[in-house]
Each structure stands twice: as structure tokens, then as C-alpha cells.
Amino acid sequence: MSASLLLWAVLLHWASGGGLARGGRTWQHCTDLRPLDILSEVVPASGLARGLRVFQVQGVRGLQLAAAWPRALGFPASRLFVHCDRFPEEFSIIVTLRVLDVPAKRNEYIFTLMAEESPSVLVGLRYAPSKLHFLFWSQERSSGWQTRVTFRNVSLADSRWHTLVLAVSGQSFSLTVDCSSPKDVVLETPFPASLSVKRARFYLGNRRRRKGLFTGLLRQLVLLPGADATPRICPAVNFEAATLSIPAVLQDVPVKSASNEVLKYPYETDMKVTLGSRPPCTKQEKAQFWFNAPRRGLYLCDGSTWISMLEAKQRLDYVEEHQSLVTNSETMGIEVFTIPKVGLFAATANRYTPPGSAVYKWTDGKFVPYQNIPTYQAQSWKYFTIGKKIFLAVANFEQNDRGQEFSVIYKWSHRKEKFITHQRITTHSARDWEAFVIEGEAFLAVVNHREGNNHNIDSVIYRWNPRTGLFETNQTIPTSGAYDWEFFTIGPYSFLAVANTFNGTSTKIYSHIYIWLRGSFQLFQSILTFGAADWEVFHIGDRVFLAVANSHSYDSGMPVPSNFYAINSSIYELNVTAQMFVKFQDLLTYSALDWEFFSMGDDSFLVVANSFDGFTFSVNSIIYRWQGYEGFVAVHHLPTVGCRDWEAFNTTEGSYLIYSSAKEPLSKVLKLKTT
């Protein structure tokens, strides 16, 4: 054979596949055909690099990236591509990670491969809310461009570990999450057959800048050339944490140094347990724990609410007197509230003008005087917030020394750590304030009881004007000797119930429930009541209840009853089918003026303020326990004198009730003892 024929034979042999792989690459692989541990390349064998920390969550260790300078979390591609400088045409990327919540319109990079002289990403993987993007640079096209492969409905931010396998072959891209059904995407643009990685670097959790830094935990990041890794991952029992290769620092058995010393890096955990009173639960506290010592319960924050993980089931055993709180005068109502970073407070609405009403602060397990505020036969207080502003509104029943009749809204001064006057509003024998928010707007409703001898007057709903920082009249609603407003929501609907007490001739009158429609409250339902003094809404499971406190039965045109004050108060339940509240249970009460709902463990309770039985003001108030089919059953009888109002509250020391007396200058704090 001549030399020229021999040359042609060699060329034909190479062209037919003996010497060229698909795509024109040399036959020699640029990397070994084994798992290439990208994560291990940034973890020194002797410990941890700056910007890396080890955390253990759910029994699995991972790395948190916190480098101030992202370039520190990089290494040259030549460490992996040892035989040549081309990225494999077919490969898999295996990632085990734990993702935190990513804000909308934000991306976090799991890794990138970037040329030193270019800001473009040659190969990369980034996570957005419910999406995973695979990026690659197609240099074979004219001038080149970046291609993005998007896998949708990939929700990883559930505080759990997940293992992803991305398999790439030509125009086919497949993603498998935790061995579920793969998500397949086929593009017109194939992954390049000859992607140069010369003078390129891998960057862990970033794209060579701080923006887009991965905030979760990484346990595994592996490149497997030439194969789909899914069959090698999915036989694992714990597929969320299945591994091909992970750094030694993350292995179950810590690696000791040659000198047999303890490793310099610490094993940490992001599980933080907070003690004390209930802390806030927001996205910042997500996956953190709170231990409630009084209840012996462990709770997990899911980003919005505390979920019980382990709790000793408490049962109310008995009630004991904890504190006799001497007040300025007889007390018509009490408001218990917490000012963040300041403490727990109670405001008493005292009858007589001098010395007015008082605010008490919980100190060393007791309420102690904190601030005195001038009031005029105060009936009740209402604590509320608008944004960062803190308010306390008092309902004044009588005129001031100048013959002016108004109620006052006080604002908390962070500088003075006192409540100062913010706005005076003209009212008519005001009994109660109710604060609420609808569609992002703040409202404040006042109950006007009477004007002179006329009980049939308007009560008013005010809307907050953020420009002036004042409340302005929004709507008036006719009421009859009203005592109380109660705001509540059911699903997307907002309701406001008024307790009508007396129309000038009778206490046997209708109280009304209003629903918010098209920018105002409209009548939803009317319920016959007898001197209604209070509404209390509460939920037990999915059921919604509304309890009314009936104070007395009087009608000028009817025969005098044997007892005006021994009268049933009623509990109503929402009937969703009928779209109305229907009577659920009657309970015999004695001039009831207030209901208070509270829970302990799995048990739900109602306590009623019985004030007068027709003969004496020394009447037992009663705690009722929810017993399902039997309804509410009396379990504790509490000696009270002219009881006007109940409030339930919790501290780190336990659970308490406080009641106000309208007949003596003494309120009492009762501690609930549990078994």
C-alpha cells in the first residue's frame, strides 16, 4: 500500500469513529469518569476555609456559605479537568441542599463556572422561588449567547433536605428531585459539544459577586461525567440525603488530624431554643424553637406561627388568689396588653374622676402602679397598634370639669415611656372602643350609650387618616343604649356586633351583627337580647361561636318578673349552610356583664362576670369548660363582688385571670393551677 493510500485509510478510520468521539472531541476524556466532588475542592483537608461553617440539621450536616468576598469560595477548573480543557458533553450534576425562603424576584446561585476574563456564566445552577434554572454558554453559535433551562414547580423551601439530580445529554435536560418523577425539558439549543473551560474557575454558591449568594446549606455538589446519576442515587433509602461524594468534614465520623488532635472546626447546629415569654415567629425565626417552661412545651416556628412539637397536656385543676390589686376607685373594665420590649401592662377604667384611672406594669410577678391618667367615669380601655405606633383609648362616660364630653386616645411615647394625649373625640356616655383593620386600613369604633335621657343615638366608626395621623368619622350606626362592640373575621369577611342594652322602655331588644360590604358595614343578622352588655367571639376547632352576656330583663309594658337579673345568657354558633348564627346553648347567669374565652392545653373555657342576683353583689362568677356534645359545663365557682370584667393573660410564671369590681376599689388576680 502506498503512503498516500495508507494516510487515507487512517483518516477514514478516525472519521468512522475509531479516533473521534461524537462532536469532534479527541477520544481522551478531559476528566476521570467518576464522581468529581466540587464541594470538597473548596474545603481544605485540614479543616474549613474562611466563610464556611458546618451546621447539623435533622441529623444531617451541611455547609453554610458566609464569605465576605465570594472569590474565596472558588477554585480553578483545571483541578477537575486534568487531561484537557473541555467540559463533558454528557454529564450529571448531583446536589444535596437545604433551601431557605427566597424572596420573590430573587435568585441564589448554587454554583457557577466562569471564565476569568468574562462576566458571563459558562455553566451554572441557580434557585428562584419554585424554580430551578440551569445555565450554559453556547460558544459554537455566532458570537455566543447564554441559554437558560427552567424547571418549574420545584419547591424546596420547606426546611427539609433535598437531593437533586440534573442529567444533561445534547438537547435533553432532566431533573429528578428526591427520586420523584423526572421533569424533562427539550431545547432547540443543545448543550455545546465543545465548551472550553480554559482559564475558568468554579465558584461555590455565587457568581463571583455577593449578589445572589446561596443562603441555605450545601451538603453535596458532584459532577459525574458521561452518565445519568439517577440510578446510582435513587436506590438509597434516605434519598433526600443520598450521597455519591461529600467532604470529609460532613461525614458522620469526624476525621482526626495526623496529630490525633480534635479538629479545629466546630460542629454546630442552627437549632436555637428560646426561653421565656412567647417570642415573635416570623421568617427570621423560621425553624427555631421556643421552650415554654410553664407549659413544659417545645414549639417550632414555621415562619408565621408556633407549632407544638412536644407539650405536656395541661388541665385546669383549681384557681387560687394571686394578688389583691388596690385600685383608685371602683373599676368598670380592665385591659391587659404587652408593649414589645417594655413589658406586660394592665389599664383599669376607674369610676371616679379624681384620681382618675391607672396603668399598672407586671413586675416581679405582680401588677404595680406605673402611670395615672385623668379620666371621667371611665368605662373601658382599648389597646391597639397602627404600624409601629402604640395607642390606648379610654371611653369616658361623663363630662369633664368644663362641661365637655369626650373620650381620649393616648399614644405611647418611646422617649418618655408613658402614654401621652394624642386625640380627643366627642362621645356621648361612651361605654366601649373597638379597634380593627380591614383591607389594610385601621378603624376605631366607639359605643355611645346615651345622650341625656335619649338612648337611641348613633354610635360612630372612625377611619385612620395616615396623612393627618388622626381618626376621622367614616360611618354612623344607630344603637340603643349600647354597651359593647365586637369585631371578628370569618374567612375573607369582616363582622361587627353591637350589644344593645336599652331603648328607653325595654331591655328586650335586638342586638345586631353587621358585615363589611362595599366599603361600609351593612346589617347581617339581628338577635333578640335582654340588656346585652357584651359579645364574645371564639373558635373551637373549625367552629365559630358568639356568646352574649344578658344583664337584666325589663319592659315597662310587661308585668314585673320575679327577678330582673336571673336570666339566661346565650351562646350562638355559626351555621355555614344557613349563613347565620343559631342558638347553641343557654346558661343561667346573674346580671352578666362580660364573657372571657381562654384555653389551657387542649381544653377551652368561658368565664362569666356575674354582677348581681337581685339581692346582693356578692355573686359567684363561673368558669365553664367545653365538653363537646355537652357544650359548656360549670367547673369552678369564683367568689366575686360586683364583677364587671374578666381578662385572661399568660406570663412566664403561668396563666392568670384578673377581674374588676364595679362595687369596691379592689381587683383580683387569680392564678390558674394545672395538673
Side-chain angles (χ1 to χ4, degrees):
M1 181 180 296
S2 67
S4 61
L5 289 175
L6 179 61
L7 177 61
W8 275 108
V10 172
L11 291 174
L12 286 172
H13 171 72
W14 279 71
S16 64
L20 287 175
R22 181 164 57 92
R25 294 180 303 178
T26 59
W27 66 272
Q28 186 180 36
H29 293 288
C30 290
T31 67
D32 296 327
L33 296 180
R34 59 178 177 81
L36 303 175
D37 194 340
I38 298 174
L39 197 56
S40 291
E41 292 296 329
V42 296
V43 182
S46 59
L48 284 180
R50 291 181 60 186
L52 294 177
R53 298 176 67 189
V54 175
F55 283 86
Q56 180 167 310
V57 181
Q58 298 166 340
V60 179
R61 293 175 188 152
L63 289 174
Q64 182 189 65
L65 317 177
W69 187 242
R71 291 176 181 268
L73 299 177
F75 64 92
S78 57
R79 287 192 196 173
L80 298 183
F81 301 97
V82 293
H83 302 301
C84 61
D85 55 8
R86 291 179 182 174
F87 203 91
E89 181 183 356
E90 297 180 352
F91 59 91
S92 294
I93 296 172
I94 305 95
V95 185
T96 300
L97 76 177
R98 184 175 181 268
V99 175
L100 302 180
D101 275 338
V102 178
K105 299 182 181 180
R106 176 176 168 181
N107 292 271
E108 294 188 352
Y109 286 85
I110 297 171
F111 85 95
T112 57
L113 175 64
M114 303 180 68
E116 284 300 323
E117 67 278 1
S118 171
S120 302
V121 175
L122 300 178
V123 180
L125 195 63
R126 75 185 189 202
Y127 177 72
S130 302
K131 294 178 184 178
L132 192 75
H133 303 293
F134 174 63
L135 314 173
F136 62 87
W137 190 261
S138 184
Q139 294 173 315
E140 295 175 348
R141 306 292 178 177
S142 60
S143 72
W145 69 74
Q146 191 176 83
T147 301
R148 182 176 66 189
V149 184
T150 299
F151 298 93
R152 303 182 185 278
N153 300 319
V154 181
S155 298
L156 305 177
D158 56 1
S159 300
R160 296 181 56 188
W161 289 99
H162 295 280
T163 294
L164 288 60
V165 179
L166 173 65
V168 177
S169 177
Q171 297 172 273
S172 177
F173 304 84
S174 178
L175 177 69
T176 303
V177 180
D178 297 336
C179 295
S180 60
S181 299
K183 297 177 182 291
D184 297 316
V185 176
V186 178
L187 295 184
E188 293 182 1
T189 303
F191 189 85
S194 181
L195 177 61
S196 173
V197 295
K198 187 176 182 180
R199 297 182 61 194
R201 292 177 65 87
F202 281 96
Y203 293 95
L204 184 63
N206 68 85
R207 57 167 300 179
R208 206 161 58 199
R209 58 182 183 179
R210 295 186 184 183
K211 184 178 180 181
L213 185 72
F214 182 69
T215 58
L217 297 180
L218 274 176
R219 174 173 174 82
Q220 177 176 223
L221 180 57
V222 172
L223 171 66
L224 180 63
D228 182 353
T230 308
R232 300 179 64 173
I233 289 291
C234 286
V237 176
N238 183 14
F239 48 77
E240 294 97 336
T243 57
L244 288 183
S245 178
I246 60 173
V249 72
L250 301 180
Q251 294 174 4
D252 292 335
V253 180
V255 177
K256 296 291 183 70
S257 63
S259 62
N260 205 30
E261 295 178 353
V262 178
L263 288 175
K264 296 180 181 178
Y265 54 83
Y267 287 115
E268 303 181 56
T269 174
D270 65 350
M271 185 186 78
K272 297 179 181 178
V273 180
T274 302
L275 298 175
S277 58
R278 179 186 293 265
C281 175
T282 65
K283 288 184 178 180
Q284 292 181 340
E285 289 81 27
K286 187 173 182 180
Q288 304 304 320
F289 287 87
W290 165 50
F291 182 70
N292 186 341
R295 293 193 176 188
R296 293 175 292 172
L298 185 65
Y299 300 84
L300 174 67
C301 175
D302 68 354
S304 60
T305 58
W306 290 103
I307 300 173
S308 175
M309 306 297 293
L310 178 65
E311 182 177 6
K313 301 301 181 183
Q314 289 184 306
R315 293 186 64 87
L316 179 59
D317 187 22
Y318 63 95
V319 182
E320 67 177 11
E321 184 175 324
H322 178 75
Q323 180 186 4
S324 291
L325 180 63
V326 177
T327 54
N328 292 345
S329 62
E330 293 90 333
T331 302
M332 307 304 291
I334 292 181
E335 179 82 342
V336 178
F337 55 92
T338 298
I339 298 178
K341 299 182 180 179
V342 181
L344 176 72
F345 294 85
T348 59
N350 297 119
R351 171 175 290 179
Y352 294 117
T353 300
S357 297
V359 177
Y360 301 84
K361 185 177 181 181
W362 186 264
T363 306
D364 297 329
K366 299 288 180 67
F367 281 116
V368 299
Y370 184 83
Q371 181 181 358
N372 216 60
I373 298 176
T375 56
Y376 304 92
Q377 282 208 29
Q379 300 294 299
S380 65
W381 288 98
K382 186 63 183 181
Y383 171 85
F384 62 98
T385 61
I386 300 176
K388 295 182 179 180
K389 300 179 177 67
I390 297 172
F391 297 96
L392 191 62
V394 65
N396 284 322
F397 193 74
E398 292 292 344
Q399 299 175 352
N400 64 10
D401 298 335
R402 299 178 181 179
Q404 301 168 321
E405 188 174 353
F406 52 77
S407 295
V408 185
I409 303 169
Y410 297 90
K411 183 180 178 182
W412 177 258
S413 169
H414 292 281
R415 183 177 62 85
K416 296 181 179 180
E417 293 194 337
K418 301 283 185 180
F419 284 100
I420 59 176
T421 301
H422 177 74
Q423 183 179 359
R424 292 181 173 90
I425 295 179
T426 300
T427 54
H428 303 288
S429 299
R431 289 280 191 183
D432 180 56
W433 285 104
E434 181 73 326
F436 49 91
V437 175
I438 300 177
E439 298 172 355
E441 291 193 278
F443 294 85
L444 193 60
V446 68
V447 163
N448 287 323
H449 182 69
R450 60 175 168 80
E451 186 174 5
N453 293 323
N454 182 17
H455 290 79
N456 299 304
I457 62 173
D458 287 341
S459 291
V460 186
I461 299 169
Y462 301 89
R463 185 196 301 259
W464 173 259
N465 186 331
R467 290 176 300 172
T468 62
L470 299 173
F471 283 96
E472 300 173 353
T473 300
N474 183 74
Q475 182 182 0
T476 59
I477 294 179
T479 54
S480 298
Y483 250 75
D484 177 63
W485 283 117
E486 179 79 351
F487 176 82
F488 58 97
T489 59
I490 301 174
Y493 300 103
S494 298
F495 297 86
L496 191 62
V498 64
N500 284 325
T501 306
F502 184 59
N503 63 5
T505 59
S506 177
T507 63
K508 184 181 178 180
I509 56 177
Y510 284 93
S511 292
H512 305 294
I513 304 171
Y514 298 89
I515 185 172
W516 180 267
L517 293 174
R518 296 182 294 276
S520 66
F521 283 103
Q522 302 180 28
L523 184 62
F524 173 77
Q525 183 181 353
S526 298
I527 296 177
L528 186 62
T529 54
F530 300 84
D534 178 63
W535 284 109
E536 177 82 353
V537 68
F538 55 93
H539 298 251
I540 299 179
D542 295 329
R543 303 170 70 175
V544 182
F545 295 90
L546 193 59
V548 64
N550 286 323
S551 64
H552 62 290
S553 177
Y554 169 79
D555 192 321
S556 60
M558 298 295 291
V560 177
S562 58
N563 193 329
F564 290 104
Y565 307 99
I567 184 173
N568 284 335
S569 291
S570 301
I571 302 170
Y572 298 85
E573 182 179 6
L574 178 66
N575 185 314
V576 178
T577 303
Q579 295 187 356
M580 63 184 300
F581 285 92
V582 298
K583 186 177 288 188
F584 172 78
Q585 184 179 3
D586 283 327
L587 294 170
L588 179 62
T589 55
Y590 297 92
S591 192
L593 297 179
D594 183 58
W595 285 108
E596 178 76 1
F597 176 81
F598 64 97
S599 299
M600 294 195 68
D602 292 331
D603 293 329
S604 299
F605 299 91
L606 272 176
V607 58
V608 66
N610 284 326
S611 64
F612 184 61
D613 65 2
F615 305 97
T616 179
F617 294 101
S618 297
V619 186
N620 285 338
S621 292
I622 299 175
I623 297 178
Y624 299 87
R625 183 174 63 215
W626 170 255
Q627 294 191 183
Y629 179 77
E630 300 175 71
F632 284 93
V633 177
V635 291
H636 294 283
H637 293 71
L638 309 175
T640 54
V641 179
C643 187
R644 180 63 182 83
D645 189 24
W646 282 104
E647 288 287 313
F649 65 95
N650 298 304
T651 72
T652 55
E653 294 88 3
S655 299
Y656 301 85
L657 291 171
I658 183 172
Y659 85 85
S660 66
S661 171
K663 289 299 173 181
E664 59 180 15
L666 189 69
S667 293
K668 291 193 176 183
V669 181
L670 308 178
K671 188 169 186 178
L672 305 179
K673 306 298 289 186
T674 60
T675 56

